Amino acid sequence: MIELVLGGARSGKSRYAESVVCRQPGPWIYVATGRAWDEEMRARIARHQLERGAGWLTVEEPVALSQVLRDVGEKPVLVDCLTLWLSNLLLEEHNIPEATHTLLEVLTARQGLTVLVGNEVGLGIVPDNALARRFRDEAGWLHQKIAAVADRVVLTVAGFPLVAKPAGGKGTV
Amino acid sequence: MIELVLGGARSGKSRYAESVVCRQPGPWIYVATGRAWDEEMRARIARHQLERGAGWLTVEEPVALSQVLRDVGEKPVLVDCLTLWLSNLLLEEHNIPEATHTLLEVLTARQGLTVLVGNEVGLGIVPDNALARRFRDEAGWLHQKIAAVADRVVLTVAGFPLVAKPAGGKGTV
Amino acid sequence: MIELVLGGARSGKSRYAESVVCRQPGPWIYVATGRAWDEEMRARIARHQLERGAGWLTVEEPVALSQVLRDVGEKPVLVDCLTLWLSNLLLEEHNIPEATHTLLEVLTARQGLTVLVGNEVGLGIVPDNALARRFRDEAGWLHQKIAAVADRVVLTVAGFPLVAKPAGGKGTV
């Protein structure tokens, strides 16, 4: 079972994704893809970890996401988030099509629940900045590819989900 | 009854919100939170007032929103909009957590209908500008808090609502 | 039958729109509104044409959209996209209200299916740039006007549609 949780900044997507994972028996794996560059980021990660509470095992992995998903077996996993993972790939000049291809293979091979969070960034005016445009394109393509293999896709709005692809269905046609 | 109407720029959110309020018997209270800085803004406010037509009582209040909601009793109210209210709080350095807390108390205590309009601004690329990022965060948090106590939450798209939290339900889970 | 397909950048809106058109018997008319300014754009248009495959007749028309819709009779049509058409009108200083009015007349007079694709650009922070703000306003108004006469309006998210105005209904009220 794969669920893709997209949403804007501060739309409650991580909290919603956590609630989806927590419906299954734990322990739950939290994969944090953000790089802990500085003290502020470290403090923020620690605070989030505390807020999630007991039952969660946190794995920090900015790039080798597919490897982590292989390593954790079939426990329920929350990937938070695709956007930071993609940023890391882009900034460190990894091969994005290859990384995406491997991720899709690992995702579809898993039996356990995988919930993936991503920032929807394509609903504003075209950015001036070429890197921002590139990132926006890559993020959109990544989300589409994951959505195609996902069992459920939602867009969170103020903490509540709009269901674009319902579980057990193939989306509205 | 509390309804939160979110939407992008020119997505028809105010018109939709008016239609929700007008299903109840009037008179209806329109709370305009925009500051009438200049002649253009004054003219625009006057034009909107005219377009809404009879049955509406307009109150202009850029900051003391909770006080207005207390003062108007149980008449149906449209707050247009949270985004301008929050901008005013931010620019004039009011205490946002405190103002939000009071607003939530007043909202949940009201028996009459309150429809609140807000701009969803979090679905584009991360803004370069620090104030814009701060505003985006504050707006998202405010919307989430109001959505949590709201009976219904919608996102308008080209004038039509996508229902994120349906009335009588607790949202899709 | 008129369907409006809105979506963010790389949200799969064109592909979704094609799938809607292809449910009807062909041949299908593809109206490309982008100006082929340079070699890169020419190559891109040619590639897209190839990807759509047999059964599609491509018409390139950056401005005279209403005329094309009149000329093609009742064959199923995909307009890709309103955003480029509007950009062309704006940059070449055409009369937008007049062009919109004519488009609505032609759309509502057609018996055949018309699917129109548009970029939703209003869900980010207010742009600094005055032309971008103007464009955002015009795009929102255009989408609302078409949505009002459309039989169905969707917002695509990662390739899947959220239905704002369902066919046979007048939208959620």
Side-chain angles (χ1 to χ4, degrees), chain A residues 4 6 120 122-125 128 136-138 140-141 143-144 147-148 153-155 162-165 170-173, chain C residues 7-12 15-16 23 120-124 127 129 132 135-136 152 155 157-163:
Chain A
L4 177 61
L6 298 176
E120 175 52 64
L123 289 153
I125 282 287
D128 293 329
R136 195 169 82 136
D137 285 352
E138 294 287 358
W141 287 322
H143 294 162
Q144 283 188 56
V153 179
V154 305
L155 178 77
L162 292 166
V163 183
K165 185 182 187 179
K170 296 190 68 176
T172 304
V173 283
Chain C
R10 310 301 172 208
S11 65
R15 209 155 30 110
Y16 176 73
R23 271 179 240 144
E120 176 53 62
V121 297
L123 288 153
N129 180 310
F135 179 75
R136 196 169 80 136
R152 190 165 185 260
L155 178 76
V157 172
F160 293 88
L162 292 166
V163 183

Side-chain angles (χ1 to χ4, degrees), chain A residues 10-173:
Chain A
R10 310 301 172 206
S11 65
K13 55 193 181 307
S14 294
R15 208 155 31 108
Y16 176 73
E18 282 173 36
S19 76
V20 172
V21 174
C22 288
R23 271 179 240 146
Q24 301 221 348
W28 313 295
I29 311 294
Y30 181 90
V31 185
T33 57
R35 281 217 183 276
W37 291 110
D38 54 19
E39 270 313 297
E40 193 192 320
M41 192 66 179
R42 287 237 153 261
R44 199 172 150 176
I45 290 173
R47 182 161 44 86
H48 283 179
Q49 208 165 331
L50 211 68
E51 282 172 10
R52 276 193 300 280
W56 286 92
L57 304 172
T58 300
V59 180
E60 291 183 42
E61 178 46 64
V63 168
L65 176 56
S66 299
Q67 191 55 52
V68 169
L69 290 175
R70 273 197 203 99
D71 291 348
V72 296
E74 303 301 348
K75 295 189 194 75
V77 173
L78 171 51
V79 177
D80 194 6
C81 61
L82 290 169
T83 310
L84 291 171
W85 177 67
L86 184 63
S87 297
N88 295 334
L89 292 183
L90 204 62
L91 293 173
E92 299 167 24
E93 302 184 3
H94 291 269
N95 184 327
I96 293 176
E98 205 175 279
T100 305
H101 181 80
T102 308
L103 177 60
L104 290 173
E105 276 189 349
V106 174
L107 278 178
T108 51
R110 289 200 87 219
Q111 300 298 311
L113 173 67
T114 319
V115 180
L116 305 107
V117 173
N119 283 55
E120 175 52 64
V121 297
L123 289 153
I125 282 287
V126 181
D128 293 329
N129 180 310
L131 183 62
R133 284 199 300 276
R134 164 97 198 274
F135 179 75
R136 195 169 82 136
D137 285 352
E138 294 287 358
W141 287 322
L142 175 63
H143 294 162
Q144 283 188 56
K145 279 174 189 159
I146 295 179
V149 301
D151 298 284
R152 192 167 185 260
V153 179
V154 305
L155 178 77
T156 54
V157 172
F160 292 89
L162 292 166
V163 183
K165 185 182 187 179
K170 296 190 68 176
T172 304
V173 283

Side-chain angles (χ1 to χ4, degrees), chain B residues 36-48:
Chain B
W37 292 110
D38 54 20
E39 270 313 297
E40 193 194 319
M41 192 66 178
R42 286 238 154 260
R44 198 172 150 177
I45 290 172
R47 183 161 43 85
H48 284 179

Side-chain angles (χ1 to χ4, degrees), chain C residues 32 41-42 47 51 84 103 108 110 115 128 142 165 168:
Chain C
M41 192 67 178
R42 287 238 153 260
R47 183 162 42 85
E51 282 172 10
L84 291 170
L103 177 60
T108 52
R110 288 200 88 219
V115 180
D128 292 330
L142 175 63
K165 185 181 188 180

